Amino acid sequence: MENSETSKKSLRLVGKESKKEPTIIKLKNVEIGGSQIAAIAGPCAVESEKQMEKVASVLKKTGVKIIRGGAYKPRTEPYSFQGLGEKGLKILRETAEKHDLAAITEVVDIRNAELIAKNADILQIGSRNMQNFELLKEMGKINKPVLLKRGSSATVNELLLAAEYILSHGNPEVILCERGIRTFEKETRNTLSLSTIPLVKELSHLPIIADPSHGTGKKSLVEPMTKAAIAAGADGFMIEVHPAPNRALSDSKQQLNLNEFKNLMKNVVTIAEALNRTT
Ligand code: PEP
Ligand code: MN
């Protein structure tokens, strides 16, 4: 077990002591970490051009600037859909370019990190790889922002130390993501730990967003938890959206359909405005 006081001293670059002002990550049409609340949305996995096209046109209508979609999927079961790989990456890039959106996708293997960096604007390190230290070091060498998701059994200190790996290897552009942790609760897939958001703000200058989709695993809980995350000070949120969630090849229970997502965006904007933030 790490001694958290000792390991806090190891937050040489991630800790507030090293940098007082918040880190703002600038993408072509959106900033993460400033007064804006960044919305990221898209399907769990890229499944087809048609699917991505339908999602992208709704994102444009709702003002979302970043599209997500996994091409390399880390699945619990080896027989589940593993993602379209390079083909999925190409669909994601082409859809994003066509609609002038930034694209985010997950890196699961050091061997195709560079290929993904050429095709995406933000690289995602998923919860299962939060402590894949070789992958983290590789992310340090890449010239693109990294979204680092909290491991489902990781402490906040371990999350920050994982970010320290990326910063100490040369990449200052890290966005943290609270995506829920494992608890004894069985009604939800994970327990979204909302106090992590203001806590990270006390400890670090890095931006933090929430993922209420994986954080709850239940579509009915996604909107209330998005609102709560914004109220808690999140710099953004990432939501899974699919044109036909029932037919999704992964995470079908937590993905919103296009109409549900449009409504969520409308309601979330009201909360953001009440807090003097823009979306
Ligand atoms: C994802 O965002 O696609 C994902 C797999 O999430 P997590 O790593 O948080 O489980
Ligand atoms: Mn998913």
Side-chain angles (χ1 to χ4, degrees), residues 21-79:
E21 68 282 4
T23 291
I24 301 179
I25 291 164
K26 297 183 172 74
L27 295 165
K28 54 185 169 191
N29 45 13
V30 62
E31 284 186 3
I32 307 174
S35 61
Q36 235 179 328
I37 292 173
I40 306 175
C44 180
V46 177
E47 296 172 7
S48 69
E49 278 160 27
K50 214 163 135 191
Q51 170 223 28
M52 292 303 283
E53 180 58 35
K54 283 186 185 161
V55 171
S57 52
V58 167
L59 299 198
K60 279 313 260 193
K61 280 191 203 127
T62 51
V64 175
K65 312 274 187 335
I66 310 171
I67 189 166
R68 62 153 285 150
Y72 301 89
K73 294 300 302 173
R75 305 304 303 283
T76 302
E77 297 186 21
Y79 307 113

Side-chain angles (χ1 to χ4, degrees), residues 68 73-74 106 124 126-128 149 179 214 238 240:
R68 62 153 285 150
K73 294 300 302 173
E106 181 166 351
Q124 176 172 321
S127 56
R128 289 157 191 82
K149 299 189 86 175
R179 50 76 73 203
H214 295 89
M238 181 159 79
E240 288 191 339

